[in-house]
Amino acid sequence: MSRQKKTHTKSTDRSTPRHSRRLQQVRALIAAEAARIMATEGQLNYHAAKKKAAHRCGVSDRLALPSNLEVEESLRTYQSLYGGAEHRENLDRLRRTALRAMRILDSFHPRLVGPVLEGTAGPHSRIALHAFADSPDALILHFLEHGESFRQEQRQIRWHNGESRIIQLMVFDLDEVEIEAALFELKDRRQAPPSPVDGKPQRRASQEDIEALLSGSFPLPLQTSLRS
């Protein structure tokens, strides 16, 4: 009777699943702490929040950090557990202010984007709008003609084809809230830029969409039917 040959398994093979589980646990820990930082400390940058969270958790940020999407999911969980009525009231307040700002910029086809639209905004969040015009100076002239105070900023974003674009921002205050209007060409109404969270086209909402949100016509999380 022939003997069966024993198969020797390397220790690295046995340890791989355990290592994978440990890495997932670390990513979840960092994502949860990054979400808490963003919710309570006014940190609005995902990468900065993740690096700060990794340091607090005693983990090297050279390891695989959680994705922005993982942090956003943890942020939603944190706000649902600890935000309560205060978070909902703050979100409604920001959306009402966004609607006022959009009416002021009505001739520029404004669209609401980002945390205020997605429902993850905190008390320190900016209201982010997209505005559209043929001329980059059109929005500046609008503020000057109406005697509105504003300041200019720039932001580099990654477009769908992998190229970098410099976007002009007009930042102003309304109802003690900071609002940024990112200026795009009229043709960009057809395609939103990639989201910094998941890389998909950003969801953009019109004034009618925001009115529907405030009236409860749209459930949360928002449906993908929001118009670009």
Side-chain angles (χ1 to χ4, degrees):
M1 187 173 180
S2 61
R3 285 176 148 181
Q4 289 184 341
K5 188 176 180 180
K6 292 184 179 180
T7 302
H8 296 282
T9 305
K10 292 182 179 180
S11 59
T12 53
D13 293 336
R14 291 196 303 266
S15 63
T16 299
R18 182 180 298 175
H19 173 74
S20 179
R21 288 195 300 271
R22 173 59 180 161
L23 186 59
Q24 290 174 355
Q25 291 170 351
V26 170
R27 286 171 67 100
L29 181 66
I30 294 173
E33 178 59 18
R36 193 192 67 78
I37 289 170
M38 295 182 75
T40 63
E41 300 181 16
Q43 175 57 257
L44 306 179
N45 183 281
Y46 278 89
H47 184 67
K50 287 187 286 188
K51 291 194 69 171
K52 190 172 185 178
H55 176 74
R56 288 187 178 177
C57 295
V59 177
S60 171
D61 57 20
R62 289 177 294 180
L63 292 175
L65 293 177
S67 66
N68 290 352
L69 184 58
E70 288 174 282
V71 176
E72 185 186 69
E73 290 171 351
S74 292
L75 181 57
R76 290 185 188 279
T77 299
Y78 183 93
Q79 289 170 333
S80 67
L81 290 174
Y82 303 108
E86 184 177 352
H87 172 65
R88 292 190 296 272
E89 290 168 4
N90 179 65
L91 197 57
D92 281 349
R93 178 181 66 88
L94 290 173
R95 286 172 174 168
R96 285 192 294 269
T97 299
L99 190 56
R100 283 194 60 204
M102 294 168 79
R103 287 169 178 161
I104 292 171
L105 301 178
D106 184 62
S107 58
F108 297 94
H109 316 284
R111 296 292 185 267
L112 179 64
V113 299
V116 175
L117 174 61
E118 299 294 341
T120 57
H124 305 287
S125 294
R126 271 184 178 182
I127 293 172
L129 303 177
H130 287 180
F132 305 88
D134 285 322
S135 168
D137 296 327
L139 197 53
I140 296 176
L141 291 174
H142 175 83
F143 281 111
L144 293 176
E145 289 173 357
H146 290 81
E148 299 286 349
S149 298
F150 69 97
R151 65 181 183 276
Q152 294 178 260
E153 295 180 4
Q154 290 184 336
R155 177 173 299 143
Q156 181 172 296
I157 67 172
R158 184 74 64 181
W159 204 250
H160 298 283
N161 59 5
E163 294 179 354
S164 294
R165 286 193 183 186
I166 301 297
I167 302 298
Q168 302 298 321
L169 302 179
M170 305 299 163
V171 183
F172 60 103
D173 295 325
L174 185 65
D175 298 338
E176 300 182 348
V177 178
E178 201 169 53
I179 300 170
E180 63 174 48
L183 186 60
F184 293 87
E185 296 179 28
L186 282 173
K187 65 180 182 180
D188 292 327
R189 292 176 64 189
R190 295 192 296 269
Q191 184 178 35
S195 165
V197 176
D198 59 12
K200 297 178 181 178
Q202 280 187 285
R203 289 194 289 187
R204 301 193 290 204
S206 67
Q207 296 179 51
E208 292 78 12
D209 293 324
I210 303 307
E211 289 170 351
L213 274 176
L214 289 169
S215 68
S217 300
F218 275 143
L220 292 177
L222 297 171
Q223 303 302 309
T224 56
S225 60
L226 291 180
R227 296 180 288 277
S228 294

